[in-house]
Amino acid sequence: MKKNPTLKLLPLLFFLTGCAGGARNDVPLAAYQDATLPLEERIEDALSRMTLEEKVAMLHAQSKFSSAGVPRLGIPEVWCTDGPHGIRPEVLWDEWDQAGWTNDSCTAFPALTCLAATWNPAMSALYGQSIGEEARYREKDVLLGPGVNIYRTPLNGRNFEYMGEDPYLASRMVVPYVQEVQKQGVAACVKHFALNNQETRRLSVDVEVDDRALYEIYLPAFKAAVEEGGAWAVMGAYNKYKGQHCCHNEYLLNDILKGEWGFDGVVISDWGGVHDTEESIRNGLDMEFGTWTDGLRSGTRNAYDNYYLAHPYLDLLRKGAADVNTLDDKVRRVLRLIFRTAMNTQKPFGSLNSPEHLAAARQIAGEGMVLLKNDNGTLPLDAGSTKRLLVVGENAVKMMTVGGGSSSLKVRHEVTPLEGLRAAATAAGCEVVYERGYVGDPTGSYNGVTTGQDLSETRSEEQLLADAVSAAKEADAVLFIGGLNKSWGQDCEGGDRKEYGLPYAQDRVIEALAAANPRLAVVLVSGNAVAMPWVDRVPAVLEAWFSGSEAGNALADVVFGKVNPSGKLPFTFPVHLEDNAAHALGEFPGGDSVRYNESLFVGYRWHDTKAIKPLFAFGHGLSYTTFEIGNLRLSTDRLDADGSLTLRVDVTNTGDRPGAEVVQLYIGDDESFVPRPVKELKGFAKVSLQPGETQTVEFGITPASLSYYDDTKGAWTAEPGLFTAYVGAASDDIRGSVDFTLE
Ligand code: GLC
């Protein structure tokens, strides 16, 4: 057999590649570079090689959004990015201004109030994976989000970035987001830890809250993010607690976060949240960002050596006035972050502006929109029989992805409500006409990103109203699309809302439209509850949130019935502001300090206990079909201290179209020795059902579900005695209850 010439070459090939390979493998990897070694071993090896200067340099910013690695050892820098809803465009090295890149447009996902309103952890997982992929593709190591501060007042300017008023809902919804972001090799940085529930005097306000409210209301979502989500980073809040700034707070960071919860990640300051070197060293801060360094009052260029954890810290160390062990603990945490992210050789490669991300944004938005009211089947509109649809309102045309503070974005594209409605309606032969109705904020820019929209208007307020009303008289149906708009004071970081009502005299426009055409639906684009003095004269109301790049398409899906709404409110809409606990007790926004006198009676906990009927309740949301919830049955009505019981309940789609219902479980302690709310959310399940279909939902109840934080013992405690399990479709729509006893 003729020898294959190639075969003769094989030995030579082996020799050459062997040598080449041998040459490549001759230099042994240092332990810290060897991804096959245990994390802790790599950390100790890297630490042992670092100088004092290199250790300190790792603990503070070197630019607006990055901190130094160790160039000499090939340990990379750490790059952070906002924000909770999408990946912020690149800024200059040392300024907030735009860097002017042309490859950093992104997908804007719906605001986190919308995600929470889905009451669907699977949507949270989809959200975390999608935004994590965009952060990864943009080569970011830390995503500065999600935010899980509790919704204490409807006036808080940043509520749209958070997950509502209930700690259990926020806990269930934050965990998948964190887990999925981190699967991309990007750290989630859960914020703002803790008690950042208002923007007024946010940099200094000292929050006074009792331990039960702290542990039962304000900490649980952070605890879940750390203990169940495995968060690799936590951001300290700007405000104070017990007189110490939260970015260097011994109680929150040392005792609770790193002590009780065993957090092994890094505590990153909010930008400009650090005020003291000694406290930062002693009280658990690991990385300092955004400090104003010239005299500590205004920014100057390249003054990063003046950071509290920079030269001031180095000087103390060199004088032996600071403990190297404390330094090494901080450095170990930063190295752990780097090995989990920048030096993680297993991480995927991410993706940006993909069709999948737009589809995810649209799906989450559609599933998060909440149908608050729908009399006479006003919605969904039948595009086929609606020959002329009038759309009124500035929020139908105004881009909402720009503005609102650090969560502002530069998107690849954004479908406005009018664009989405037109695209869907035209296909069905329905003419869509538009009237401005009112002028809100015609500007559209933040940090140098501009929407490019021309929203200028020459008509007077009276003319705008008259034009809208006359158009309404000619239309088959009218959609008013208004709400808030992330302008200053209208759901925006850095300031709170000044009023509970809709701005820009929208109420007057809504009243006039209701008088002109009974087939009116009001669509609110917002991140907060608002007053609705017109609600009895408007047959349909839909909360559409700030819902991102696919806002218009998601809205059209719901308005025309392609998507059957299944969202539920993550916070209460009080009728009047004074019906809200913080306002009823007069402690908002406070002065140098703010007292949470309502304690744990936040949101529906207050409304239930004080029997104050809300405008729309926590957990409320309608569907285009109807559901029956009933046949509650317990596995046993006696729960042992170390046992569990199962509550089963049937839910049936009694309507004529597929839909999803969120079955909610609340539990009340009927024989409590301490003040407790009437009932508290302890379980929920979203169930998709075909018409006529019934499914059984199971809830596991354990003593942990019944516990309160006993501040006299510093421990969670469940009191033996009688409890009631309530099951319903909203906190004010209970369909059945059963009693059981804790032994
Ligand atoms: C901002 C915000 C924080 C953000 C950070 C960086 O002031 O409070 O949420 O991540 O600074 O922009």
Side-chain angles (χ1 to χ4, degrees), residues 513-543:
L513 292 173
N517 191 323
R519 287 207 67 198
L520 167 67
V522 169
V523 177
L524 293 175
V525 174
S526 69
N528 256 314
V530 295
M532 302 184 198
W534 33 263
V535 72
D536 294 336
R537 289 175 291 287
V538 171
V541 183
L542 176 73
E543 174 61 60

Side-chain angles (χ1 to χ4, degrees), residues 263-276:
F263 177 62
D264 73 351
V266 294
V267 173
I268 295 177
S269 76
D270 200 339
W271 268 237
V274 180
H275 303 272
D276 183 281

Side-chain angles (χ1 to χ4, degrees), residues 387-684:
K387 287 300 159 223
R388 170 178 294 193
L389 169 63
L390 170 66
V391 174
V392 179
E394 186 175 276
N395 282 8
V397 298
K398 181 179 173 63
M399 285 174 66
M400 290 292 173
T401 54
V402 174
S406 57
S407 62
S408 179
L409 297 172
K410 176 170 78 173
V411 291
R412 171 63 64 84
H413 85 256
E414 176 177 357
V415 179
T416 64
L418 184 60
E419 289 165 343
L421 290 163
R422 273 214 166 107
T426 307
C430 163
E431 181 197 10
V432 177
V433 294
Y434 174 71
E435 280 296 337
R436 181 76 170 264
Y438 68 91
V439 173
D441 178 356
T443 67
S445 73
Y446 180 80
N447 254 166
V449 174
T450 59
T451 62
Q453 292 187 297
D454 175 7
L455 296 179
S456 60
E457 177 61 61
T458 55
R459 287 173 289 175
S460 69
E461 189 175 321
E462 294 312 316
Q463 191 59 54
L464 284 165
L465 181 62
D467 290 351
V469 168
S470 60
K473 288 173 179 165
E474 306 304 317
D476 298 316
V478 181
L479 282 183
F480 175 86
I481 305 181
L484 306 174
N485 57 12
K486 295 189 183 180
S487 302
W488 182 260
Q490 305 301 344
D491 282 357
C492 179
E493 173 180 345
D496 293 322
R497 292 167 63 203
K498 294 292 173 273
E499 61 198 359
Y500 182 47
L502 286 171
Y504 317 126
Q506 293 176 68
D507 292 340
R508 183 169 167 236
V509 181
I510 293 168
E511 296 280 7
L513 292 173
N517 191 323
R519 287 207 67 198
L520 167 67
V522 169
V523 177
L524 293 175
V525 174
S526 69
N528 256 314
V530 295
M532 302 184 198
W534 33 263
V535 72
D536 294 336
R537 289 175 291 287
V538 171
V541 183
L542 176 73
E543 174 61 60
W545 309 113
F546 298 120
S547 44
S549 287
E550 284 290 284
N553 289 331
L555 178 63
D557 290 343
V558 170
V559 163
F560 291 116
K562 190 175 169 191
V563 166
N564 185 356
S566 61
K568 299 281 184 178
L569 288 180
F571 51 76
T572 307
F573 274 57
V575 176
H576 309 291
L577 193 55
E578 308 67 53
D579 296 346
N580 167 280
H583 296 267
L585 298 179
E587 270 299 311
F588 172 85
D592 294 338
S593 68
V594 59
R595 284 187 305 276
Y596 289 10
N597 288 334
E598 73 279 4
S599 180
L600 41 88
F601 295 92
V602 174
Y604 71 92
R605 289 171 165 83
W606 174 261
H607 282 261
D608 282 356
T609 306
K610 296 289 183 181
I612 300 172
K613 184 170 174 13
L615 176 60
F616 294 109
F618 172 80
H620 170 75
L622 303 177
S623 170
Y624 293 146
T625 183
T626 51
F627 298 97
E628 216 163 70
I629 297 174
N631 191 16
L632 278 66
R633 62 263 192 207
L634 287 170
S635 56
T636 168
D637 62 359
R638 309 186 77 74
L639 175 60
D640 294 334
D642 57 357
S644 73
L645 64 79
T646 301
L647 169 61
R648 290 183 178 80
V649 59
D650 293 343
V651 53
T652 303
N653 180 342
T654 50
D656 58 3
R657 71 166 62 202
E661 177 61 293
V662 179
V663 183
Q664 300 161 41
L665 165 67
Y666 297 83
I667 292 182
D669 183 347
D670 303 325
E671 296 171 340
S672 167
F673 293 106
V674 294
R676 297 193 73 176
V678 169
K679 62 182 190 292
E680 298 179 286
L681 183 72
K682 296 295 179 183
F684 61 87

